Amino acid sequence: MKKLVILDGNSLAHRAFYALPLLRTTTGYFTNAVYGFTTMLQKIIRQEQPDYLAVAFDAGRITFRHEEYADYKAHRKATPDELRPQFPLIKKVLAAMRIPVLELESYEGDDLISEVVRAAEKKGIQVLIVSGDRDMLQLVTEQTKALITRKGISDLECFTPEGVNEKYGITPSQVADYKGLKGDQSDNIPGVPGIGAKTAVKLLQQFHSVEECLANLDQLTPKMAALLREYGDQALMSKRLATLAQDVPVRIDFADLKMEQPDYEALINIFQQLEFKLLLKNIQEEIPSDIAAPDEGEDFCLIKTKPELVDLIEELKETGEFAFCFERNGISPHSAAVSVLGVAWGDSCVAIAFPEDAKQQGEMLALLDEVLAGPDYVKFCHDAKAELIMCRRHGLDLKGIKGDTMLGAYLLNSSLSNPEIEDLSLKYLDQVVNFAQDETGAAQRALMIKKVWAVLIEALQRDDLADLFYKLELPLSVVLAEMEIQGVKLDLTRLEEMSRRLSKQLLTLTADIYALAGEGFNINSPRQLGQILFEKLKLPVIKRTKTGYSTDAEVLEKLAPLHEIPSKMLEYRQLTKLKSTYVDGLQSLVNTRTGKVHTTFNQTITATGRLSSTEPNLQNIPVRDELGREIRSAFIPSEPGWILMAADYSQIELRVLAHMSRDSRLIADFQHGEDIHTRTAATIFGVAQEDVTADLRRRAKGINFGIIYGITDYGLARDVGVSREEAARYIENYFLQYPGVKRFIEETIREAREKGYVQTLLKRRRYLPDLLSSNRNVRAFGERTAMNTPIQGSAADIIKMAMLRIHKDLQEKSLKTRLLLQVHDELIFELPAEELEPLASLVRSGMENVIELAVPLKVGIETGPNWNDMEGVE
DNA sequence: GTTCTCACG
DNA sequence: ACGTACGTGAGAACA
């Protein structure tokens, strides 16, 4: 049986409008109703897979019902100004999706739906009505169901005749009678005064319809009979108003309602206009790709044998330039198997399918070594680091990479994090792609990499980013790949012991907390904890989150003097965090082949230019408290007789600030070489350096951090524990003493507003559209990031340069030392003990002299048998 | 998938 | 009158 879905356009648009926040495009169009309607529509199409589909809209404000009753819908609020202009947009989306719109002057969408249902039933077509209006229930039959929104736009309830009866106690055909008796506030249908929902249902269960009620007045209570006698005509009129039209002058031709493929080009166009990024991405996945379709492109072929591969390699050597990509299907390059390699040169592309047999595969790969490892064969890829890891793992080298679309796109706009080639094809070539699922997909992908790179390199040169790309990021990807491949050894015995110890302690703590609470609950659920603390124990609410009570560490500390649970909870939280994230989490990520953890350093994630680390994140291993530090003891050298070395920049961000702001006082502070926070304290609190107490220093430290983050009096007050007024005075005084810093901040924000972006020392860019927001908070946030990004980002530039330099020095000096980790301002190495001295001086000078700033850069070096027990080296 | 909490620089 | 420090990633709960 064929299926038809018909949507009540007006009703659903209203629903969407009120359910979603007022979304707006950067160009000022309101789009929340369009967005809500579109997502609802797509979901229904996906779920129902209808054969026929249409959307009905009201047309004309005056309908035939007004002829009968002038006040029909008189109380209805006017459509809001933010919604009205969204209707034409919805219709544009529908046109692009090739979904017919049904409208008829002076009829409501409901009436058209009624007509369509009637016609469909005659033809034996199954119908599903989608609406937010329960009036639609009167159309429900065995053949026709109704999907009515319950709450918001995603909670829908499906009604069959039985369902209607169960829920309302009447049949679908009695809906109009019901409204005739009860009336309807929202449509201003009067009904019978004094008859509400209960009475109406009771009457209809007894007499089936309004007419029969009126014909049997003698069987009613005298009061009810009088009521119906007086308002009988009004009840009949109300019923007629509530009854959907029976004779709509329209002919339904089902051929016009057949589902069709959307006009993807038009749809992309309108989604782009409306800035529906997620929906764009979704249709991208849905669209059959037209590039290099394997069945029509004569340039395409699939390579499976050695002779074929030899021919290909000859061709590549002749061309001297190609794009490539190993298929990984989202699997980490540290563990993905080699299955398919996509290659593109000129206008051609091929996929190489590798045999599973290790020996045969090895032979095929060995053939490729010449072109992959040959530095003179120019290569482009998307994520050079991942490709290098794949190659190295299979015994191949990779040299001669001249383009990386992922890295390039990130440098052009650091707000794109880990962009996919599909996203870039849309952004830079206006081309929507959906690569084939089989081997041919890799070939298509390679070809797209080549095309996108041609555009990106132009853009990089235009924005003066080519140096940053070729001299820093691209070579850095090799260093990072080697760090990841090397991995870090963990003392598993130690972790297992910790895990057992923590389990035991947690068991005791949990029991204590339950006993104190007087009941068991899910101790990991902030919500349940909130109920215990604030409802059962009536402790004062310190802070709220969007959804309820806050129970974070700050709150628990304040509650600690009032009850025993909060401090126990703090301890519990600390221990579970250690156990689940670090002790157990790290163990589970140890690679079985190497016995080490191999993090991934993401080079294209952060908006500022920093790296990030995942699976595991080795940039947030505990250090601040003693118990947490124990985790670091489990990080050990991977060879006997080796040690670890940590080299960290001292105050690199403040030094960068001194350099960029050229503030003479801050520069002088650093040239003095003593503790910077003490000097800051002496300066802003107007005391001699010897008289700076620990507390004054702590406050000055807070101010120094605050300056880097984009200070506010509120934030500073919270951090150092003084009043907001006090904090405001500190800030004022700081800017008085360091006027160059103040000027730098103002100048940076002004320039950012003008250009739309800020820059680091190495010209890395971050665009800041928030600076132009009409929302004050968003704008203030933009201003803080505007001043923080050049500082954080330049510090990132500097340590990246240092990594390159040290990596090169290590190679040239043939040292055995390996760089393992970068944690934003520090580098971790493992080394044979005898290399300690040469390495310490190599690392120190590498890091300190990698760039000439207005202030010296200082590096602290420590070594030890693990990452915890470290001692300073002079 | 989003929210809360918490680990790091 | 309102909600704030900047940049990240992970685990658990809950919808």
Side-chain angles (χ1 to χ4, degrees):
Chain A
M1 203 174 185
K2 296 276 188 199
K3 188 197 276 179
L4 174 142
V5 169
I6 180 145
L7 290 91
D8 186 344
N10 285 71
S11 154
L12 295 176
H14 272 91
R15 278 282 167 164
F17 178 77
Y18 288 109
L20 298 179
L22 254 188
L23 309 173
R24 210 182 211 194
T25 61
T26 50
T27 49
Y29 288 106
F30 292 106
T31 56
N32 60 332
V34 190
Y35 186 78
F37 182 88
T38 309
T39 50
M40 228 187 309
L41 175 63
Q42 291 184 329
K43 192 168 153 198
I44 286 161
I45 293 174
R46 224 177 17 253
Q47 280 173 0
E48 302 296 330
Q49 308 269 335
D51 303 287
Y52 304 100
L53 181 62
V55 182
F57 284 96
D58 300 349
R61 278 191 54 241
I62 304 299
T63 68
F64 70 93
R65 289 186 176 80
H66 291 88
E67 292 166 21
E68 165 133 11
Y69 181 55
D71 285 343
Y72 178 67
K73 289 199 172 173
H75 292 174
R76 184 63 63 93
K77 265 192 287 181
T79 306
D81 286 339
E82 295 84 358
L83 172 57
R84 203 174 312 108
Q86 296 194 52
F87 280 100
L89 297 175
I90 290 177
K91 285 175 191 167
K92 261 178 123 168
V93 171
L94 289 169
M97 294 177 76
R98 298 209 173 97
I99 295 172
V101 165
L102 304 179
E103 279 180 305
L104 187 62
E105 184 60 32
S106 84
Y107 280 86
E108 294 183 55
D110 300 10
D111 300 312
L112 295 169
I113 293 176
S114 159
E115 194 57 37
V116 170
V117 169
R118 201 183 334 279
E121 293 202 334
K122 242 186 250 167
K123 288 203 138 194
I125 295 171
Q126 207 184 343
V127 184
L128 181 71
I129 303 164
V130 188
S131 175
D133 185 349
R134 281 164 202 275
D135 277 359
M136 288 294 118
L137 294 178
Q138 62 186 283
L139 297 174
V140 171
T141 63
E142 288 306 326
Q143 207 177 322
T144 299
K145 287 186 248 174
L147 210 51
I148 308 292
T149 55
R150 197 183 290 162
K151 202 182 89 194
I153 55 166
S154 44
D155 187 4
L156 295 156
E157 191 172 12
C158 186
F159 284 96
T160 57
E162 299 76 46
V164 175
N165 209 313
E166 233 165 75
K167 184 140 182 177
Y168 298 101
I170 55 174
T171 65
S173 58
Q174 289 174 317
V175 171
D177 296 278
Y178 171 81
K179 282 193 144 187
L181 292 170
K182 197 205 109 199
D184 184 338
Q185 273 266 294
S186 69
D187 289 349
N188 202 29
I189 295 176
V192 177
I195 294 187
K198 288 251 171 71
T199 319
V201 170
K202 215 174 80 192
L203 285 171
L204 289 174
Q205 279 171 351
Q206 196 176 351
F207 300 109
H208 307 292
S209 69
V210 174
E211 290 79 359
E212 277 182 64
C213 285
L214 295 173
N216 292 290
L217 290 178
D218 50 333
Q219 292 181 40
L220 296 171
T221 60
K223 203 174 138 216
M224 191 57 64
L227 214 51
L228 281 176
R229 202 166 286 127
E230 182 174 356
Y231 291 105
D233 286 343
Q234 187 168 309
L236 288 169
M237 178 201 70
S238 296
K239 176 178 172 179
R240 279 195 300 279
L241 286 175
T243 303
L244 297 176
Q246 304 282 331
D247 45 4
V248 182
V250 67
R251 221 181 62 81
I252 309 292
D253 186 348
F254 284 93
D256 298 337
L257 308 188
K258 266 222 169 85
M259 272 287 284
E260 279 184 70
Q261 278 280 312
D263 174 351
Y264 283 113
E265 217 182 300
L267 198 57
I268 287 162
N269 211 308
I270 176 131
F271 281 178
Q272 265 172 347
Q273 235 176 63
L274 298 173
E275 297 168 11
F276 291 169
K277 308 219 172 80
L278 188 68
L279 298 186
L280 266 175
K281 206 175 147 80
N282 290 345
I283 53 171
Q284 223 171 303
E285 282 157 24
E286 183 185 311
I287 301 183
S289 186
D290 61 352
I291 64 154
D295 51 353
E296 46 187 282
E298 57 194 83
D299 291 338
F300 178 85
C301 71
L302 181 63
I303 288 178
K304 287 186 164 164
T305 64
K306 278 196 339 193
E308 288 168 346
L309 184 56
V310 170
D311 285 349
L312 168 69
I313 287 167
E314 281 314 307
E315 180 131 21
L316 292 180
K317 278 158 74 173
E318 211 164 286
T319 321
E321 194 178 288
F322 61 97
F324 72 98
C325 57
F326 278 105
E327 188 82 61
R328 283 189 286 120
N329 293 320
I331 299 167
S332 152
H334 291 291
S335 46
V338 165
S339 59
V340 180
L341 177 69
V343 180
W345 72 101
D347 295 320
S348 320
C349 61
V350 301
I352 304 164
F354 293 93
E356 281 190 34
D357 176 83
K359 186 161 164 280
Q360 290 176 35
Q361 190 185 94
E363 287 168 4
M364 299 266 285
L365 284 170
L367 288 174
L368 281 161
D369 190 54
E370 190 182 357
V371 281
L372 288 177
D376 295 333
Y377 298 117
V378 171
K379 288 165 280 278
F380 313 109
C381 59
H382 182 85
D383 194 351
K385 174 162 71 70
E387 303 296 8
L388 180 56
I389 291 168
M390 285 295 278
C391 287
R392 292 272 175 98
R393 268 185 51 228
H394 293 87
L396 301 178
D397 202 3
L398 180 58
K399 293 210 171 101
I401 300 255
K402 291 280 151 34
D404 180 334
T405 46
M406 184 165 107
L407 214 41
Y410 168 73
L411 292 189
L412 286 168
N413 187 347
S414 58
S415 314
L416 301 177
S417 59
N418 271 355
E420 307 233 358
I421 186 69
E422 287 92 334
D423 304 328
L424 302 182
S425 137
L426 179 63
K427 189 173 162 70
Y428 289 101
L429 303 176
D430 284 322
Q431 198 170 336
V432 171
V433 287
N434 183 20
F435 301 124
Q437 295 295 310
D438 58 13
E439 297 91 342
T440 61
Q444 297 172 337
R445 188 177 293 267
L447 191 57
M448 186 50 76
I449 289 169
K450 195 164 165 294
K451 288 183 188 170
V452 169
W453 180 252
V455 179
L456 289 186
I457 182 60
E458 298 272 315
L460 286 166
Q461 276 155 357
R462 189 194 61 219
D463 289 354
D464 201 8
L465 290 166
D467 269 3
L468 183 60
F469 179 82
Y470 284 114
K471 295 191 180 157
L472 188 78
E473 298 289 355
L474 189 62
L476 184 71
S477 68
V478 178
V479 177
L480 294 173
E482 289 179 4
M483 291 163 71
E484 293 181 21
I485 292 169
Q486 191 51 241
V488 188
K489 179 87 179 275
L490 287 179
D491 182 344
L492 287 175
T493 321
R494 185 146 198 169
L495 289 178
E496 281 157 17
E497 187 276 319
M498 278 187 83
S499 184
R500 280 194 300 276
R501 181 152 42 92
L502 288 171
S503 294
K504 226 188 262 171
Q505 291 177 14
L506 282 166
L507 229 51
T508 318
L509 266 176
T510 310
D512 289 353
I513 291 170
Y514 289 166
L516 286 164
E519 63 180 298
F521 61 100
N522 186 342
I523 197 166
N524 290 317
S525 159
R527 215 171 81 180
Q528 293 186 32
L529 175 65
Q531 280 167 2
I532 297 282
L533 293 179
F534 305 114
E535 289 171 19
K536 184 163 178 184
L537 300 173
K538 303 263 186 284
L539 293 174
V541 176
I542 310 284
K543 196 164 64 163
R544 289 181 177 278
T545 66
K546 266 185 281 189
T547 53
Y549 314 113
S550 169
T551 66
D552 65 18
E554 196 191 322
V555 170
L556 293 176
E557 258 153 42
K558 291 212 170 107
L559 294 175
L562 305 173
H563 200 277
E564 284 182 72
I565 289 187
S567 44
K568 294 252 182 209
M569 262 319 293
L570 280 168
E571 202 185 342
Y572 177 88
R573 287 246 177 97
Q574 190 196 5
L575 299 188
T576 37
K577 175 80 180 179
L578 282 182
K579 185 169 177 341
S580 63
T581 307
Y582 299 107
V583 178
D584 297 347
L586 277 174
Q587 287 183 82
S588 72
L589 288 167
V590 171
N591 184 304
T592 47
R593 187 166 48 82
T594 62
K596 300 180 182 179
V597 280
H598 301 264
T599 186
T600 297
F601 284 109
N602 301 113
Q603 207 177 346
T604 58
I605 287 267
T606 72
T608 55
R610 276 188 176 183
L611 300 175
S612 88
S613 156
T614 48
E615 278 182 288
N617 179 355
L618 295 183
Q619 292 181 321
N620 73 345
I621 303 301
V623 68
R624 291 173 187 168
D625 54 62
E626 205 37 56
L627 187 65
R629 286 190 74 100
E630 216 184 315
I631 303 284
R632 293 196 167 214
S633 316
F635 286 77
I636 53 175
S638 65
E639 318 257 355
W642 287 40
I643 55 174
L644 296 183
M645 175 185 287
D648 79 299
Y649 276 117
S650 150
Q651 304 300 341
I652 188 168
E653 293 191 344
L654 273 182
R655 287 172 201 265
V656 166
L657 174 64
H659 173 80
M660 293 183 97
S661 70
R662 305 268 159 189
D663 183 284
S664 48
R665 188 140 207 176
L666 193 52
I667 291 173
D669 280 355
F670 275 117
Q671 277 164 348
H672 253 84
E674 284 143 80
D675 179 76
I676 187 67
H677 302 311
T678 305
R679 285 202 74 86
T680 307
T683 306
I684 60 175
F685 297 121
V687 297
Q689 213 171 311
E690 311 81 68
D691 297 336
V692 173
T693 60
D695 192 54
L696 286 183
R697 183 183 180 277
R698 190 181 57 80
R699 288 184 219 179
K701 190 175 171 182
I703 294 166
N704 279 334
F705 271 105
I707 293 293
I708 289 166
Y709 291 156
I711 203 157
T712 66
D713 50 7
Y714 180 90
L716 181 61
R718 207 171 46 119
D719 196 58
V720 301
V722 297
S723 74
R724 206 168 145 159
E725 291 71 25
E726 183 93 9
R729 273 200 298 280
Y730 293 170
I731 295 169
E732 197 185 342
N733 206 9
Y734 182 96
F735 285 137
L736 219 61
Q737 300 295 335
Y738 298 92
V741 174
K742 185 175 190 224
R743 206 177 323 116
F744 168 71
I745 291 173
E746 286 166 352
E747 187 60 19
T748 304
I749 293 172
R750 195 190 58 72
E751 203 184 307
R753 205 175 286 134
E754 209 170 88
K755 291 187 180 164
Y757 60 86
V758 288
Q759 280 179 302
T760 66
L761 286 179
L762 296 194
K763 297 181 184 149
R764 186 189 302 281
R765 285 186 187 192
R766 177 177 183 177
Y767 289 89
L768 293 168
D770 284 358
L771 284 176
L772 301 176
S773 166
S774 56
N775 180 323
R776 234 187 65 147
N777 290 324
V778 175
R779 215 167 47 236
F781 177 73
E783 287 171 1
R784 292 198 294 273
T785 37
M787 53 166 292
N788 172 264
T789 298
I791 301 172
Q792 195 185 110
S794 299
D797 291 347
I798 292 171
I799 196 167
K800 282 177 170 177
M801 286 192 284
M803 291 167 76
L804 275 185
R805 176 159 165 176
I806 290 169
H807 181 263
K808 186 160 157 268
D809 288 351
L810 288 175
Q811 273 186 338
E812 284 174 0
K813 299 222 156 72
S814 302
L815 289 170
K816 295 199 183 96
T817 299
R818 304 160 183 154
L819 174 57
L820 299 182
L821 298 175
Q822 187 249 48
V823 191
H824 310 309
D825 65 354
E826 69 175 328
L827 299 176
I828 316 295
F829 304 85
E830 64 176 4
L831 57 143
E834 62 272 18
E835 286 184 6
L836 196 159
E837 282 190 15
L839 184 69
S841 65
L842 182 155
V843 167
R844 172 166 284 134
S845 85
M847 289 173 78
E848 289 183 348
N849 303 327
V850 72
I851 189 171
E852 178 98 16
L853 299 185
V855 293
L857 283 173
K858 243 192 104 197
V859 171
I861 294 185
E862 293 186 318
T863 60
N866 61 57
W867 200 5
N868 187 30
D869 303 303
M870 306 269 259
E871 278 177 14
V873 175
E874 261 321 294

